[in-house]
């Protein structure tokens, strides 16, 4: 794996080397979490960790693209608002070598307009805060099954 600067991402597997929670998912999942807002990133990160996912977090489209160029992820949870683009920029195949991950839009507002717009642009799903483990788990499971 090529070197990625530490300012770009946070890997929960690196932060909590000895504290891996038991996985409730059927297999180990690599997830990327992209959000510039701590109030979005932190609770969603906690839910994904509680499911046993190996989560990398970054805060912008450019950082996410750099990480995606070097690492493979099955699912990407992306804030609807990024400082340098949007979730739609991460959906296109140019950024991925082998497999295009399922992009899930994370939002604090549950508007149907966003859901329809996001899925029309190619997002796999939209999840709304508060993020409950059961809802996030079902989204990840669906993403894994549909990607297979």
């Amino acid at each position: 794996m090529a070197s990625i600067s530490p300012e770009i991402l946070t890997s929960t597997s690196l932060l909590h080397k000895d504290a891996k929670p038991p996985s409730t998912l059927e297999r180990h999942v690599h997830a990327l979490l992209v959000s510039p807002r701590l109030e979005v990133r932190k609770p969603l990160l906690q839910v994904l960790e509680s499911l046993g996912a190996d989560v990398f977090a970054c805060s912008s489209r450019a950082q996410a693209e750099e990480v995606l160029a070097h690492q493979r992820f099955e699912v990407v949870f992306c804030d609807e608002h990024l400082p340098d683009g949007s979730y739609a920029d991460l959906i296109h195949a140019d950024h991925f070598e082998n497999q295009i991950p399922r992009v899930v839009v994370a939002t604090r507002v549950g508007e149907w307009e966003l859901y329809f717009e996001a899925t029309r642009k190619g997002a796999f799903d939209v999840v709304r805060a508060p993020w409950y483990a059961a809802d996030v788990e079902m989204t990840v499971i669906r993403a894994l099954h549909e990607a297979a």
Side-chain angles (χ1 to χ4, degrees):
M1 177 174 97
S3 163
I4 301 172
S5 40
E7 306 84 44
I8 291 183
L9 60 92
T10 303
S11 169
T12 56
S13 63
L14 297 175
L15 293 176
H16 309 290
K17 287 181 183 164
D18 301 324
K20 271 300 209 191
S23 178
T24 60
L25 299 169
E26 60 193 39
R27 66 180 179 83
H28 190 74
V29 175
H30 297 280
L32 177 63
L33 175 55
V34 187
S35 177
R37 300 180 296 171
L38 188 58
E39 70 272 12
V40 170
R41 204 169 48 236
K42 186 175 179 181
L44 193 48
L45 178 67
Q46 290 171 337
V47 168
L48 288 165
E49 283 182 321
S50 76
L51 297 174
D54 185 16
V55 185
F56 288 82
C58 57
S59 61
S60 71
R61 178 199 50 79
Q63 292 172 349
E65 287 178 345
E66 182 175 341
V67 172
L68 287 165
H70 300 289
Q71 188 93 8
R72 184 170 175 243
F73 296 92
E74 289 91 0
V75 64
V76 175
F77 283 84
C78 185
D79 197 316
E80 65 179 305
H81 303 291
L82 298 175
D84 57 349
S86 83
Y87 62 87
D89 298 325
L90 299 178
I91 294 171
H92 304 291
D94 319 359
H95 309 114
F96 314 108
E97 288 184 23
N98 300 330
Q99 178 186 359
I100 300 171
R102 301 292 186 183
V103 175
V104 178
V105 179
T107 181
R108 297 181 60 85
V109 183
E111 296 177 358
W112 282 106
E113 271 184 45
L114 172 63
Y115 178 82
F116 291 126
E117 174 188 331
T119 55
R120 186 176 37 84
K121 289 181 177 180
F124 176 73
D125 202 355
V126 176
V127 293
R128 186 176 72 85
W131 294 282
Y132 297 109
D135 296 336
V136 173
E137 181 179 29
M138 285 305 301
T139 299
V140 171
I141 289 169
R142 284 183 30 248
L144 294 175
H145 282 277
E146 290 188 23

Short mmCIF file of all heavy atoms in Angstrom, two decimals, residues 12 20 24 26 31 34 37 40 50 76 78 82 88 94 96-97 99 107 115-116 133 138 140-141 148:
data_model
loop_
_atom_site.label_atom_id
_atom_site.label_comp_id
_atom_site.label_asym_id
_atom_site.label_seq_id
_atom_site.Cartn_x
_atom_site.Cartn_y
_atom_site.Cartn_z
N THR A 12 -9.49 3.63 12.62
CA THR A 12 -9.82 3.16 13.96
C THR A 12 -9.03 1.92 14.31
O THR A 12 -8.79 1.66 15.47
CB THR A 12 -11.32 2.89 14.08
OG1 THR A 12 -11.70 1.95 13.08
CG2 THR A 12 -12.11 4.17 13.93
N LYS A 20 -10.65 -4.08 19.49
CA LYS A 20 -11.55 -4.38 18.38
C LYS A 20 -12.84 -4.96 18.92
O LYS A 20 -12.83 -5.98 19.60
CB LYS A 20 -10.91 -5.38 17.41
CG LYS A 20 -10.11 -4.74 16.33
CD LYS A 20 -10.97 -3.84 15.52
CE LYS A 20 -10.47 -3.74 14.12
NZ LYS A 20 -11.10 -2.72 13.38
N THR A 24 -20.66 -7.74 14.31
CA THR A 24 -22.02 -8.24 14.11
C THR A 24 -22.28 -8.46 12.63
O THR A 24 -23.31 -8.99 12.26
CB THR A 24 -23.07 -7.27 14.67
OG1 THR A 24 -22.95 -6.02 13.99
CG2 THR A 24 -22.88 -7.07 16.17
N GLU A 26 -21.45 -10.14 8.86
CA GLU A 26 -21.09 -11.50 8.47
C GLU A 26 -19.63 -11.65 8.06
O GLU A 26 -19.10 -12.75 8.01
CB GLU A 26 -22.00 -11.98 7.36
CG GLU A 26 -21.92 -11.11 6.12
CD GLU A 26 -23.02 -11.38 5.13
OE1 GLU A 26 -24.15 -11.61 5.55
OE2 GLU A 26 -22.73 -11.35 3.92
N ALA A 31 -14.68 0.34 5.71
CA ALA A 31 -15.57 1.47 5.42
C ALA A 31 -14.77 2.76 5.47
O ALA A 31 -13.87 2.93 6.28
CB ALA A 31 -16.71 1.52 6.43
N VAL A 34 -16.49 9.98 5.27
CA VAL A 34 -16.04 11.28 4.78
C VAL A 34 -16.99 12.35 5.29
O VAL A 34 -18.17 12.40 4.89
CB VAL A 34 -16.01 11.32 3.23
CG1 VAL A 34 -15.38 12.63 2.76
CG2 VAL A 34 -15.29 10.12 2.66
N ARG A 37 -17.58 17.53 9.30
CA ARG A 37 -18.24 17.92 10.55
C ARG A 37 -18.10 16.82 11.61
O ARG A 37 -18.56 15.70 11.42
CB ARG A 37 -19.71 18.21 10.29
CG ARG A 37 -19.90 19.33 9.27
CD ARG A 37 -21.33 19.65 9.00
NE ARG A 37 -22.00 18.50 8.39
CZ ARG A 37 -23.31 18.46 8.19
NH1 ARG A 37 -24.07 19.46 8.56
NH2 ARG A 37 -23.87 17.40 7.62
N VAL A 40 -21.15 14.90 12.76
CA VAL A 40 -21.58 13.82 11.88
C VAL A 40 -20.62 12.64 11.99
O VAL A 40 -21.03 11.49 12.14
CB VAL A 40 -21.65 14.31 10.40
CG1 VAL A 40 -21.88 13.14 9.45
CG2 VAL A 40 -22.72 15.36 10.23
N SER A 50 -18.89 -0.12 16.40
CA SER A 50 -19.64 -1.07 17.23
C SER A 50 -20.07 -2.29 16.42
O SER A 50 -20.29 -3.36 16.98
CB SER A 50 -20.86 -0.39 17.86
OG SER A 50 -21.89 -0.21 16.90
N VAL A 76 -18.71 3.46 1.45
CA VAL A 76 -18.28 4.81 1.80
C VAL A 76 -19.48 5.56 2.35
O VAL A 76 -20.51 5.67 1.67
CB VAL A 76 -17.74 5.58 0.56
CG1 VAL A 76 -17.42 7.03 0.92
CG2 VAL A 76 -16.54 4.88 -0.03
N CYS A 78 -20.65 9.12 3.27
CA CYS A 78 -20.19 10.46 2.93
C CYS A 78 -21.23 11.50 3.33
O CYS A 78 -22.42 11.36 3.02
CB CYS A 78 -19.94 10.53 1.42
SG CYS A 78 -19.24 12.11 0.89
N LEU A 82 -19.57 18.63 1.52
CA LEU A 82 -18.12 18.58 1.68
C LEU A 82 -17.56 19.95 1.31
O LEU A 82 -18.13 20.64 0.46
CB LEU A 82 -17.51 17.50 0.79
CG LEU A 82 -17.95 16.07 1.07
CD1 LEU A 82 -17.36 15.12 0.04
CD2 LEU A 82 -17.56 15.66 2.48
N ALA A 88 -21.46 13.11 -4.68
CA ALA A 88 -21.58 12.70 -6.09
C ALA A 88 -20.21 12.58 -6.75
O ALA A 88 -20.02 11.75 -7.65
CB ALA A 88 -22.46 13.68 -6.85
N ASP A 94 -13.83 6.77 -11.96
CA ASP A 94 -12.47 7.23 -12.22
C ASP A 94 -11.56 7.05 -11.00
O ASP A 94 -10.35 6.93 -11.13
CB ASP A 94 -12.42 8.71 -12.58
CG ASP A 94 -13.52 9.15 -13.50
OD1 ASP A 94 -14.36 8.32 -13.91
OD2 ASP A 94 -13.54 10.34 -13.82
N PHE A 96 -11.50 4.63 -8.76
CA PHE A 96 -11.34 3.29 -8.24
C PHE A 96 -10.68 2.38 -9.25
O PHE A 96 -10.98 2.43 -10.43
CB PHE A 96 -12.70 2.71 -7.86
CG PHE A 96 -13.54 3.68 -7.07
CD1 PHE A 96 -14.63 4.30 -7.63
CD2 PHE A 96 -13.19 4.01 -5.78
CE1 PHE A 96 -15.38 5.21 -6.92
CE2 PHE A 96 -13.93 4.92 -5.05
CZ PHE A 96 -15.03 5.52 -5.62
N GLU A 97 -9.78 1.54 -8.76
CA GLU A 97 -9.09 0.60 -9.64
C GLU A 97 -9.95 -0.61 -9.95
O GLU A 97 -10.24 -0.90 -11.09
CB GLU A 97 -7.77 0.16 -9.02
CG GLU A 97 -6.74 1.26 -9.03
CD GLU A 97 -5.42 0.76 -8.49
OE1 GLU A 97 -5.18 -0.45 -8.52
OE2 GLU A 97 -4.63 1.60 -8.06
N GLN A 99 -12.92 -2.13 -7.76
CA GLN A 99 -14.31 -2.19 -7.37
C GLN A 99 -14.78 -0.82 -6.92
O GLN A 99 -14.10 -0.13 -6.17
CB GLN A 99 -14.48 -3.20 -6.24
CG GLN A 99 -15.89 -3.30 -5.75
CD GLN A 99 -16.00 -4.19 -4.52
OE1 GLN A 99 -15.01 -4.74 -4.06
NE2 GLN A 99 -17.17 -4.31 -3.99
N THR A 107 -26.83 12.24 6.29
CA THR A 107 -27.44 13.56 6.40
C THR A 107 -28.09 13.73 7.77
O THR A 107 -28.48 12.77 8.41
CB THR A 107 -28.49 13.79 5.30
OG1 THR A 107 -29.05 15.09 5.43
CG2 THR A 107 -29.61 12.76 5.36
N TYR A 115 -33.00 12.21 -0.85
CA TYR A 115 -32.95 10.78 -1.14
C TYR A 115 -33.06 10.53 -2.64
O TYR A 115 -32.25 9.81 -3.22
CB TYR A 115 -34.06 10.03 -0.39
CG TYR A 115 -34.06 8.56 -0.71
CD1 TYR A 115 -33.19 7.70 -0.05
CD2 TYR A 115 -34.89 8.04 -1.68
CE1 TYR A 115 -33.15 6.36 -0.35
CE2 TYR A 115 -34.87 6.68 -1.99
CZ TYR A 115 -34.00 5.85 -1.32
OH TYR A 115 -33.96 4.53 -1.62
N PHE A 116 -34.05 11.13 -3.27
CA PHE A 116 -34.25 10.92 -4.71
C PHE A 116 -33.09 11.47 -5.53
O PHE A 116 -32.64 10.85 -6.48
CB PHE A 116 -35.58 11.52 -5.18
CG PHE A 116 -36.77 10.78 -4.65
CD1 PHE A 116 -37.77 11.44 -3.97
CD2 PHE A 116 -36.89 9.40 -4.82
CE1 PHE A 116 -38.87 10.75 -3.48
CE2 PHE A 116 -37.98 8.70 -4.33
CZ PHE A 116 -38.98 9.38 -3.66
N ALA A 133 -27.51 1.71 15.18
CA ALA A 133 -26.69 0.59 14.74
C ALA A 133 -27.46 -0.35 13.81
O ALA A 133 -26.93 -0.80 12.80
CB ALA A 133 -26.15 -0.17 15.95
N MET A 138 -27.99 -2.71 8.56
CA MET A 138 -28.79 -3.17 7.42
C MET A 138 -28.31 -2.53 6.11
O MET A 138 -28.26 -3.18 5.07
CB MET A 138 -30.28 -2.87 7.63
CG MET A 138 -30.94 -3.78 8.63
SD MET A 138 -30.75 -5.55 8.24
CE MET A 138 -31.48 -5.67 6.65
N VAL A 140 -25.22 -1.55 5.46
CA VAL A 140 -23.94 -2.19 5.12
C VAL A 140 -24.18 -3.59 4.56
O VAL A 140 -23.61 -3.98 3.54
CB VAL A 140 -22.98 -2.22 6.32
CG1 VAL A 140 -21.75 -3.07 6.03
CG2 VAL A 140 -22.57 -0.81 6.71
N ILE A 141 -25.06 -4.36 5.19
CA ILE A 141 -25.35 -5.71 4.73
C ILE A 141 -25.93 -5.68 3.32
O ILE A 141 -25.51 -6.46 2.44
CB ILE A 141 -26.30 -6.43 5.70
CG1 ILE A 141 -25.55 -6.76 7.00
CG2 ILE A 141 -26.88 -7.70 5.08
CD1 ILE A 141 -26.44 -7.23 8.13
N ALA A 148 -21.90 -8.06 -4.37
CA ALA A 148 -21.39 -9.42 -4.68
C ALA A 148 -21.88 -9.94 -6.02
O ALA A 148 -22.79 -9.55 -6.60
CB ALA A 148 -21.81 -10.36 -3.57
#
